[in-house]
Amino acid sequence: MPPALADLTASARVVALPMHTRFRGVDTREALLFEGPEGWAEFSPFVEYDDDEAATWLAAAIDFAWRPQPAPLRDRIPVNATIPAIDAARVPDVLERFAGCRTAKVKVAEPGRTLADDVARVRAVRETMGPEGRIRLDANGAWNVDEAEHAVHALAEFDLEYVEQPCATVAELAELRTRVKYMGIPVAADESVRKSSDPLAVARAKAADLLVIKAQPLGGIRHALQIVTAAGLPVVVSSALDTAVGLSQGAALAAALPTLDHDCGLGTASLFVDDVADRRPVDGAIPAERVIPDPDALTRLAASAERREWWLDRLRRCHEVLDRRD
């Protein structure tokens, strides 16, 4: 049984974090934070998600706040820079916010942008980072197989580490992986894991070379670790545009993995103008320990009364979903 709703709302704070650049369609990231016996946790499913999907995010937050977590195997987590779908000229300024990061994840296939825009953006990243920098792409499932194959060919010259969720379905990922395998560019799955009722389907279908895993959408660190074990594929731990509190949960997941061969997508604090605590990368990494929000920041970043009520109502509905699941 989850804790009583009153136990969650007693410490609940709803925050709105302004962003340097519009990302994933938003200029401000909202989140609900609460404190449990083990510390602070974050509940921040994207606003368009229905209650059933959002309830899994709540389960992850409750687990992180109420239960001891798996023992860490490392205390520093290497992270990548994240480049939104911006004009190429802005790339150097964005990369400067990710101190010491040797890897960059570049958003591509954004609505309203062209493949030529993507090529220019990725070229700017390569020129800024130099030949030793690592570049990974994230298309968020926006291409069909033919479009993805064409894009991979157009972008291959930039020495790609992998391309993340180039197509929406497992079948499309499997076909694309077959088509581009000769190029030596791995395919990673994100949405096909975190938004699927069967997160292992992509591994069974041999549709990806590695998995991108996120603690909140997968219901918490323990469940994410179970998926990693069952899938038997390399993984990259990433965030869902979390506050510093949510990033600390992602870092705890990365710290608990038996092996961590890839830089993690947990440097996204650098996309925010302000945050509830400082989790921006230093020397290309973030610490693995829990975050305690700064009380002044919680006040400074408090959402409007209307948005606070919206989130508290969503919390109530999702809590009811968890009660029904139990």
Side-chain angles (χ1 to χ4, degrees), residues 193-259:
V193 177
R194 66 179 169 88
K195 292 181 72 69
S196 173
S197 60
D198 182 3
L200 295 175
V202 68
R204 285 197 302 272
K206 295 181 169 48
D209 299 282
L210 64 158
L211 305 182
V212 177
I213 59 170
K214 300 176 180 179
Q216 276 204 81
L218 292 177
I221 291 173
R222 287 176 183 78
H223 192 225
L225 291 174
Q226 290 169 3
I227 290 171
V228 171
T229 299
L233 291 173
V235 299
V236 176
V237 179
S238 193
S239 73
L241 202 56
D242 302 334
T243 76
V245 172
L247 289 177
S248 74
Q249 185 178 25
L253 169 56
L257 287 169
T259 58

Side-chain angles (χ1 to χ4, degrees), residues 79-91:
V79 299
N80 64 253
T82 299
I83 308 299
I86 54 175
D87 292 337
R90 298 181 58 196
V91 164

Side-chain angles (χ1 to χ4, degrees), residues 5-298:
L5 180 62
D7 292 334
L8 305 182
T9 57
S11 59
R13 304 292 293 267
V14 179
V15 295
L17 276 54
M19 304 184 66
H20 287 288
T21 301
R22 190 171 181 84
F23 186 80
R24 207 188 175 280
V26 299
D27 301 298
T28 302
R29 177 67 165 128
E30 295 180 340
L32 187 152
L33 310 177
F34 56 73
E35 187 178 15
E38 296 294 323
W40 285 85
E42 174 173 337
F43 171 60
S44 59
F46 296 112
V47 295
E48 68 270 22
Y49 289 3
D50 65 26
D51 289 348
D52 189 63
E53 183 172 1
T56 300
W57 296 54
L58 179 56
I62 289 171
D63 184 82
F64 195 54
W66 258 261
R67 297 180 64 190
Q69 298 301 300
L73 302 177
R74 52 192 66 83
D75 58 11
R76 298 281 292 173
I77 309 300
V79 299
N80 64 253
T82 299
I83 308 299
I86 54 175
D87 292 337
R90 298 181 58 196
V91 164
D93 290 339
V94 173
L95 280 173
E96 280 187 3
R97 299 190 197 117
F98 294 87
C101 292
R102 60 184 180 176
T103 301
K105 180 167 83 168
V106 186
K107 290 290 184 176
V108 294
E110 187 89 352
R113 298 279 183 167
T114 66
L115 179 57
D117 295 329
D118 293 340
V119 171
R121 187 180 314 112
V122 176
R123 177 180 286 113
V125 173
R126 174 54 69 206
E127 290 173 351
T128 304
M129 297 190 76
E132 295 183 358
R134 302 171 186 172
I135 297 177
R136 54 184 65 159
L137 309 180
D138 184 5
N140 291 116
W143 291 318
N144 63 36
V145 177
D146 290 339
E147 290 169 338
E149 183 181 18
H150 178 61
V152 169
H153 277 277
L155 294 160
E157 65 174 287
F158 302 113
D159 187 21
L160 305 179
E161 183 184 25
Y162 62 77
V163 56
E164 179 179 327
Q165 200 70 42
C167 305
T169 70
V170 171
E172 288 175 321
L173 291 179
E175 182 178 350
L176 179 68
R177 184 170 178 256
T178 299
R179 291 191 191 185
V180 303
K181 191 171 184 178
Y182 77 95
M183 302 175 69
I185 298 175
V187 172
D190 174 12
E191 285 88 345
S192 291
V193 177
R194 66 179 169 88
K195 292 181 72 69
S196 173
S197 60
D198 182 3
L200 295 175
V202 68
R204 285 197 302 272
K206 295 181 169 48
D209 299 282
L210 64 158
L211 305 182
V212 177
I213 59 170
K214 300 176 180 179
Q216 276 204 81
L218 292 177
I221 291 173
R222 287 176 183 78
H223 192 225
L225 291 174
Q226 290 169 3
I227 290 171
V228 171
T229 299
L233 291 173
V235 299
V236 176
V237 179
S238 193
S239 73
L241 202 56
D242 302 334
T243 76
V245 172
L247 289 177
S248 74
Q249 185 178 25
L253 169 56
L257 287 169
T259 58
L260 191 67
D261 296 328
H262 298 273
D263 292 346
C264 295
L266 299 171
T268 49
S270 292
L271 297 174
F272 295 127
V273 176
D274 200 358
D275 202 344
V276 297
D278 190 355
R279 264 300 181 269
R280 290 171 296 180
V282 176
D283 296 329
I286 63 171
E289 73 259 14
R290 279 183 176 271
V291 160
I292 300 174
D294 174 20
D296 290 339
L298 289 174

